[in-house]
Amino acid sequence: MRVLKGTDFNDRSKASLDAKKALLERFKARPPADDPAVQAKQEERRRIVEAREAREAERRRQREEEEARRRAAEEEERLLKLKEAEEARAALLAEQKAARDRRYALRKARR
């Protein structure tokens, strides 16, 4: 039976410890928070976030304006239809009155 190299517990344990040490070294090698490069990167990220928020606010404002314009147009259309319906009703009433007046005049003329 062949035994693979580096598969016993001690080898795996050593590899794990080496990986943890490498990770710790990478962490320790990071620059401190008060480093100018770190602060510049944080400032850049903050500006990016602010710019994104400003764009989102502008888009939100534009959507609200568009919604307000759409509602105003719908209200104007509704009022126009209401006015047309009212005018049609008034015309119908005038037509009915004229027909009634003609019938009345014909009855008077027959007498």
Side-chain angles (χ1 to χ4, degrees), residues 97-111:
K97 183 179 183 319
R100 193 171 47 245
D101 290 346
R102 279 192 304 274
R103 287 191 309 268
Y104 181 72
L106 286 175
R107 269 196 309 257
K108 282 290 219 173
R110 278 187 252 158
R111 290 189 187 160

mmCIF file of all heavy atoms in Angstrom, residues 97-111:
data_model
loop_
_atom_site.group_PDB
_atom_site.id
_atom_site.type_symbol
_atom_site.label_atom_id
_atom_site.label_comp_id
_atom_site.label_asym_id
_atom_site.label_seq_id
_atom_site.Cartn_x
_atom_site.Cartn_y
_atom_site.Cartn_z
ATOM 1 N N LYS A 97 -85.427 69.992 -24.412
ATOM 2 C CA LYS A 97 -86.302 71.145 -24.165
ATOM 3 C C LYS A 97 -86.842 71.682 -25.479
ATOM 4 O O LYS A 97 -88.031 72.023 -25.587
ATOM 5 C CB LYS A 97 -85.535 72.238 -23.421
ATOM 6 C CG LYS A 97 -86.395 73.434 -23.052
ATOM 7 C CD LYS A 97 -85.581 74.441 -22.296
ATOM 8 C CE LYS A 97 -86.359 75.627 -21.835
ATOM 9 N NZ LYS A 97 -87.317 76.198 -22.720
ATOM 10 N N ALA A 98 -85.960 71.743 -26.510
ATOM 11 C CA ALA A 98 -86.404 72.239 -27.815
ATOM 12 C C ALA A 98 -87.480 71.317 -28.386
ATOM 13 O O ALA A 98 -88.502 71.795 -28.931
ATOM 14 C CB ALA A 98 -85.223 72.339 -28.768
ATOM 15 N N ALA A 99 -87.292 70.008 -28.265
ATOM 16 C CA ALA A 99 -88.298 69.056 -28.754
ATOM 17 C C ALA A 99 -89.595 69.222 -27.979
ATOM 18 O O ALA A 99 -90.698 69.205 -28.545
ATOM 19 C CB ALA A 99 -87.761 67.629 -28.629
ATOM 20 N N ARG A 100 -89.507 69.389 -26.690
ATOM 21 C CA ARG A 100 -90.691 69.596 -25.857
ATOM 22 C C ARG A 100 -91.406 70.883 -26.261
ATOM 23 O O ARG A 100 -92.647 70.915 -26.377
ATOM 24 C CB ARG A 100 -90.268 69.630 -24.378
ATOM 25 C CG ARG A 100 -91.397 69.528 -23.404
ATOM 26 C CD ARG A 100 -90.915 69.354 -21.950
ATOM 27 N NE ARG A 100 -89.840 70.284 -21.565
ATOM 28 C CZ ARG A 100 -88.616 69.888 -21.252
ATOM 29 N NH1 ARG A 100 -88.280 68.621 -21.295
ATOM 30 N NH2 ARG A 100 -87.716 70.785 -20.908
ATOM 31 N N ASP A 101 -90.623 71.938 -26.479
ATOM 32 C CA ASP A 101 -91.217 73.208 -26.897
ATOM 33 C C ASP A 101 -91.907 73.071 -28.257
ATOM 34 O O ASP A 101 -92.984 73.649 -28.479
ATOM 35 C CB ASP A 101 -90.158 74.313 -26.954
ATOM 36 C CG ASP A 101 -89.669 74.718 -25.565
ATOM 37 O OD1 ASP A 101 -90.341 74.344 -24.565
ATOM 38 O OD2 ASP A 101 -88.613 75.390 -25.474
ATOM 39 N N ARG A 102 -91.325 72.319 -29.214
ATOM 40 C CA ARG A 102 -91.947 72.099 -30.515
ATOM 41 C C ARG A 102 -93.275 71.360 -30.354
ATOM 42 O O ARG A 102 -94.272 71.735 -30.973
ATOM 43 C CB ARG A 102 -91.018 71.295 -31.438
ATOM 44 C CG ARG A 102 -89.943 72.134 -32.112
ATOM 45 C CD ARG A 102 -89.252 71.365 -33.227
ATOM 46 N NE ARG A 102 -88.674 70.089 -32.803
ATOM 47 C CZ ARG A 102 -87.458 69.953 -32.275
ATOM 48 N NH1 ARG A 102 -86.697 71.008 -32.107
ATOM 49 N NH2 ARG A 102 -87.017 68.763 -31.934
ATOM 50 N N ARG A 103 -93.245 70.302 -29.522
ATOM 51 C CA ARG A 103 -94.488 69.554 -29.300
ATOM 52 C C ARG A 103 -95.553 70.463 -28.680
ATOM 53 O O ARG A 103 -96.717 70.462 -29.082
ATOM 54 C CB ARG A 103 -94.238 68.343 -28.388
ATOM 55 C CG ARG A 103 -93.493 67.217 -29.088
ATOM 56 C CD ARG A 103 -93.506 65.949 -28.271
ATOM 57 N NE ARG A 103 -93.073 66.097 -26.893
ATOM 58 C CZ ARG A 103 -91.828 65.935 -26.453
ATOM 59 N NH1 ARG A 103 -90.885 65.615 -27.314
ATOM 60 N NH2 ARG A 103 -91.535 66.083 -25.189
ATOM 61 N N TYR A 104 -95.132 71.276 -27.748
ATOM 62 C CA TYR A 104 -96.068 72.189 -27.102
ATOM 63 C C TYR A 104 -96.612 73.198 -28.116
ATOM 64 O O TYR A 104 -97.821 73.476 -28.154
ATOM 65 C CB TYR A 104 -95.365 72.913 -25.934
ATOM 66 C CG TYR A 104 -96.254 73.868 -25.195
ATOM 67 C CD1 TYR A 104 -97.271 73.410 -24.369
ATOM 68 C CD2 TYR A 104 -96.073 75.249 -25.330
ATOM 69 C CE1 TYR A 104 -98.083 74.297 -23.700
ATOM 70 C CE2 TYR A 104 -96.871 76.137 -24.662
ATOM 71 C CZ TYR A 104 -97.886 75.657 -23.837
ATOM 72 O OH TYR A 104 -98.696 76.543 -23.176
ATOM 73 N N ALA A 105 -95.731 73.737 -28.977
ATOM 74 C CA ALA A 105 -96.163 74.701 -29.988
ATOM 75 C C ALA A 105 -97.124 74.033 -30.991
ATOM 76 O O ALA A 105 -98.098 74.649 -31.425
ATOM 77 C CB ALA A 105 -94.961 75.279 -30.715
ATOM 78 N N LEU A 106 -96.855 72.759 -31.351
ATOM 79 C CA LEU A 106 -97.765 72.047 -32.276
ATOM 80 C C LEU A 106 -99.148 71.844 -31.636
ATOM 81 O O LEU A 106 -100.168 71.998 -32.290
ATOM 82 C CB LEU A 106 -97.172 70.694 -32.676
ATOM 83 C CG LEU A 106 -96.003 70.738 -33.670
ATOM 84 C CD1 LEU A 106 -95.441 69.342 -33.878
ATOM 85 C CD2 LEU A 106 -96.468 71.306 -34.985
ATOM 86 N N ARG A 107 -99.162 71.491 -30.349
ATOM 87 C CA ARG A 107 -100.447 71.324 -29.656
ATOM 88 C C ARG A 107 -101.190 72.640 -29.626
ATOM 89 O O ARG A 107 -102.399 72.682 -29.836
ATOM 90 C CB ARG A 107 -100.209 70.824 -28.226
ATOM 91 C CG ARG A 107 -100.200 69.318 -28.109
ATOM 92 C CD ARG A 107 -100.364 68.870 -26.672
ATOM 93 N NE ARG A 107 -99.441 69.503 -25.747
ATOM 94 C CZ ARG A 107 -98.366 68.948 -25.239
ATOM 95 N NH1 ARG A 107 -98.063 67.723 -25.584
ATOM 96 N NH2 ARG A 107 -97.587 69.597 -24.427
ATOM 97 N N LYS A 108 -100.473 73.730 -29.367
ATOM 98 C CA LYS A 108 -101.118 75.048 -29.331
ATOM 99 C C LYS A 108 -101.659 75.424 -30.709
ATOM 100 O O LYS A 108 -102.709 76.015 -30.816
ATOM 101 C CB LYS A 108 -100.102 76.123 -28.886
ATOM 102 C CG LYS A 108 -99.833 76.141 -27.420
ATOM 103 C CD LYS A 108 -101.031 76.641 -26.706
ATOM 104 C CE LYS A 108 -100.608 77.535 -25.561
ATOM 105 N NZ LYS A 108 -101.737 78.160 -24.964
ATOM 106 N N ALA A 109 -100.890 75.072 -31.749
ATOM 107 C CA ALA A 109 -101.297 75.421 -33.105
ATOM 108 C C ALA A 109 -102.552 74.635 -33.516
ATOM 109 O O ALA A 109 -103.375 75.126 -34.260
ATOM 110 C CB ALA A 109 -100.171 75.165 -34.085
ATOM 111 N N ARG A 110 -102.695 73.402 -33.031
ATOM 112 C CA ARG A 110 -103.884 72.591 -33.387
ATOM 113 C C ARG A 110 -105.145 73.139 -32.740
ATOM 114 O O ARG A 110 -106.224 72.961 -33.237
ATOM 115 C CB ARG A 110 -103.670 71.145 -32.931
ATOM 116 C CG ARG A 110 -102.835 70.354 -33.936
ATOM 117 C CD ARG A 110 -102.788 68.925 -33.558
ATOM 118 N NE ARG A 110 -101.420 68.655 -33.058
ATOM 119 C CZ ARG A 110 -101.064 67.674 -32.268
ATOM 120 N NH1 ARG A 110 -101.941 66.834 -31.841
ATOM 121 N NH2 ARG A 110 -99.838 67.529 -31.915
ATOM 122 N N ARG A 111 -105.066 73.805 -31.640
ATOM 123 C CA ARG A 111 -106.226 74.325 -30.934
ATOM 124 C C ARG A 111 -106.754 75.551 -31.507
ATOM 125 O O ARG A 111 -106.600 76.267 -32.285
ATOM 126 C CB ARG A 111 -105.895 74.610 -29.478
ATOM 127 C CG ARG A 111 -105.686 73.342 -28.724
ATOM 128 C CD ARG A 111 -105.588 73.663 -27.258
ATOM 129 N NE ARG A 111 -105.218 72.426 -26.537
ATOM 130 C CZ ARG A 111 -104.696 72.400 -25.370
ATOM 131 N NH1 ARG A 111 -104.458 73.499 -24.734
ATOM 132 N NH2 ARG A 111 -104.402 71.285 -24.813
#
